[in-house]
Amino acid sequence: MNVEPQSLEALIGEFASLPGIGRKTARRMAYHMLSKSKSDVERFANNLINAATKVHPCPCCHAFTEDDTCNTCIERRGAKTLCVVEKSSDIIPFERSGIYKGLYFVLGGVISPLDGVGPEHLHLPQLINRIKDEGIEELVLALGSSTEADSTALMIDRMLTGIDVKRTRLARGIPMGSELEFVDEITMLRAFEGRVCL
Amino acid sequence: MNVEPQSLEALIGEFASLPGIGRKTARRMAYHMLSKSKSDVERFANNLINAATKVHPCPCCHAFTEDDTCNTCIERRGAKTLCVVEKSSDIIPFERSGIYKGLYFVLGGVISPLDGVGPEHLHLPQLINRIKDEGIEELVLALGSSTEADSTALMIDRMLTGIDVKRTRLARGIPMGSELEFVDEITMLRAFEGRVCL
């Protein structure tokens, strides 16, 4: 016997389709929504539609924006450093730290044959064009630390043979606040290899 | 500098208002929605509105329903056992187990002075009326195992003084599949007290 009304069942299904959300949590969310006022629920629904309608990739860097061209591409026009990230949300920690003042480029993924992602699925030609057209002097490859990310970075490095652009990647080592005891082998290996003089 | 478009920021806020969802998970959900097709997002929004519009408490038992009176109240009319639960979703495990064939009554909470919930916030008069009007013979108090639930059950028990209705509560003990090693003291105490002959 199905004890839940059909429209509630449908809403549970929607929440359960979100990343990392199981059936039980989805049910809790749906019941939570029923306890909200009608105007709260309408605002939620409108914000969903709004975000999906207004937000699109910047034609220049592929980061999410509501404008024709994103703020960063406009405000930092002429900068000679370009930071390549996998996805739009990877830009957030850079901007939050305030350390980086250059341009960004969202690659749209990393090469992963197992997931069916090949070089043709990434914005590689646009990246190369942008480096050439804007006279980029330094390319910071910030593609994460998986094997797939490493091989994608390597491939970009090879594609740039003959183009005069310095290529860098983020430092690898022990993250802030981490207990040495729980650091994995690979991180420890890289932290030791990259040790610096005091 | 705020790197996220305003409409995306608003959607993150909506997801972050869901129970148990922090800012980072909410961001992941919002970015996930941006990767969906427009029709998927519209369906999600419609399902939100639909559930909030169609679902309401049954006037008879206060469980969520889409109909004038819920299915259970109609199909089991005349049953003489009434199971009292705290909230509508507490009915699900009963129905899933298939063990119970009687009526339900959703109390709407348990008495919790710290959270500002007093007897006047619960559907107590309706419960008493229903017991009298329908000639209920057994009342199963299934209000959870917190101190607040216990004192609410005790209060209902006292309110029924003089009314001829058997009152029961669910058995307490070791749950299925649990490792004895990790069972807490109170559960162990109750499981031991309630031990039965083989």
Side-chain angles (χ1 to χ4, degrees):
Chain A
M1 183 187 168
N2 187 7
V3 282
E4 260 144 8
Q6 215 185 333
S7 55
L8 183 55
E9 195 58 54
L11 184 57
I12 295 171
E14 295 295 353
F15 282 123
S17 76
L18 294 169
I21 299 300
R23 192 91 197 147
K24 283 192 184 177
T25 313
R27 173 171 290 124
R28 197 148 68 98
M29 291 173 168
Y31 275 90
H32 174 81
M33 289 314 298
L34 291 184
S35 71
K36 296 253 212 163
S37 72
K38 212 172 163 183
S39 66
D40 278 351
V41 177
E42 273 165 6
R43 203 199 47 232
F44 196 137
N46 284 338
N47 279 332
L48 264 170
I49 298 285
N50 246 340
T53 315
K54 292 188 185 165
V55 178
H56 56 90
C58 166
C60 184
C61 73
H62 298 96
F64 285 131
T65 182
E66 281 182 5
D67 309 307
D68 289 341
T69 303
C70 81
N71 262 336
T72 320
C73 279
I74 293 172
E75 283 170 14
R76 303 184 184 172
R77 188 165 284 162
K80 297 298 175 201
T81 314
L82 185 66
C83 177
V84 182
V85 292
E86 184 185 334
K87 53 191 190 300
S88 195
S89 49
D90 291 343
I91 293 175
I92 298 163
F94 281 96
E95 289 300 304
R96 201 177 284 149
S97 77
I99 188 76
Y100 182 69
K101 302 291 180 202
L103 297 160
Y104 292 99
F105 188 87
V106 176
L107 202 57
V110 288
I111 296 166
S112 172
L114 282 176
D115 302 317
V117 183
E120 68 279 14
H121 297 102
L122 310 180
H123 307 303
L124 288 166
Q126 295 97 312
L127 173 63
I128 308 294
N129 284 343
R130 203 169 164 186
I131 294 169
K132 285 184 189 161
D133 295 350
E134 299 181 23
I136 297 297
E137 289 164 5
E138 179 178 350
L139 191 72
V140 184
L141 289 159
L143 291 175
S145 51
S146 63
T147 322
E148 290 81 4
D150 279 351
S151 49
T152 308
L154 195 68
M155 201 200 54
I156 294 175
D157 186 64
R158 287 203 189 134
M159 289 174 76
L160 293 173
T161 313
I163 301 176
D164 183 24
V165 56
K166 183 179 168 190
R167 298 140 211 179
T168 57
R169 63 157 180 77
L170 296 180
R172 278 160 186 180
I174 315 286
M176 198 56 204
S178 134
E179 298 227 30
L180 269 197
E181 182 181 3
F182 302 117
V183 166
D184 66 285
E185 309 89 280
I186 309 280
T187 303
M188 183 48 96
L189 196 81
R190 285 177 169 166
F192 188 79
E193 282 173 354
R195 67 195 184 280
V196 290
C197 293
L198 288 180
Chain B
M1 183 190 170
N2 188 7
V3 281
E4 260 143 11
Q6 215 185 331
S7 55
L8 184 54
E9 193 60 54
L11 184 57
I12 294 171
E14 295 295 353
F15 282 123
S17 76
L18 293 170
I21 299 302
R23 192 93 197 143
K24 282 191 184 177
T25 313
R27 172 172 289 124
R28 197 148 68 99
M29 291 172 168
Y31 275 90
H32 174 80
M33 289 314 297
L34 291 182
S35 73
K36 295 254 210 161
S37 73
K38 213 173 164 184
S39 66
D40 279 351
V41 177
E42 274 166 8
R43 204 199 46 233
F44 197 137
N46 285 339
N47 280 332
L48 263 171
I49 299 285
N50 248 339
T53 314
K54 292 188 187 165
V55 178
H56 57 87
C58 167
C60 182
C61 72
H62 298 95
F64 286 131
T65 182
E66 281 181 4
D67 310 306
D68 288 342
T69 303
C70 82
N71 262 337
T72 319
C73 279
I74 293 172
E75 284 171 15
R76 302 185 185 170
R77 189 166 284 163
K80 296 298 176 201
T81 314
L82 186 65
C83 176
V84 182
V85 293
E86 184 185 334
K87 51 192 191 300
S88 197
S89 49
D90 290 344
I91 293 174
I92 299 163
F94 282 95
E95 289 301 304
R96 202 176 285 147
S97 76
I99 188 76
Y100 182 69
K101 301 290 179 202
L103 297 159
Y104 292 100
F105 188 88
V106 176
L107 201 58
V110 287
I111 295 168
S112 173
L114 283 176
D115 302 317
V117 182
E120 69 278 14
H121 296 102
L122 310 180
H123 307 304
L124 288 166
Q126 294 97 312
L127 174 62
I128 307 294
N129 284 342
R130 202 168 165 188
I131 294 169
K132 286 183 190 162
D133 296 349
E134 299 182 25
I136 297 298
E137 288 163 7
E138 179 178 352
L139 191 72
V140 184
L141 289 159
L143 291 175
S145 52
S146 64
T147 322
E148 289 81 5
D150 279 350
S151 47
T152 308
L154 195 66
M155 201 201 54
I156 294 175
D157 186 63
R158 286 202 188 135
M159 289 173 77
L160 294 173
T161 313
I163 301 175
D164 183 26
V165 57
K166 184 179 167 190
R167 299 138 210 180
T168 57
R169 62 157 181 76
L170 297 180
R172 278 158 187 180
I174 315 289
M176 199 55 205
S178 137
E179 298 229 28
L180 269 197
E181 181 180 6
F182 302 119
V183 166
D184 64 286
E185 309 90 281
I186 309 280
T187 303
M188 185 45 96
L189 197 80
R190 287 178 167 164
F192 189 79
E193 282 172 352
R195 66 197 183 280
V196 289
C197 293
L198 288 178

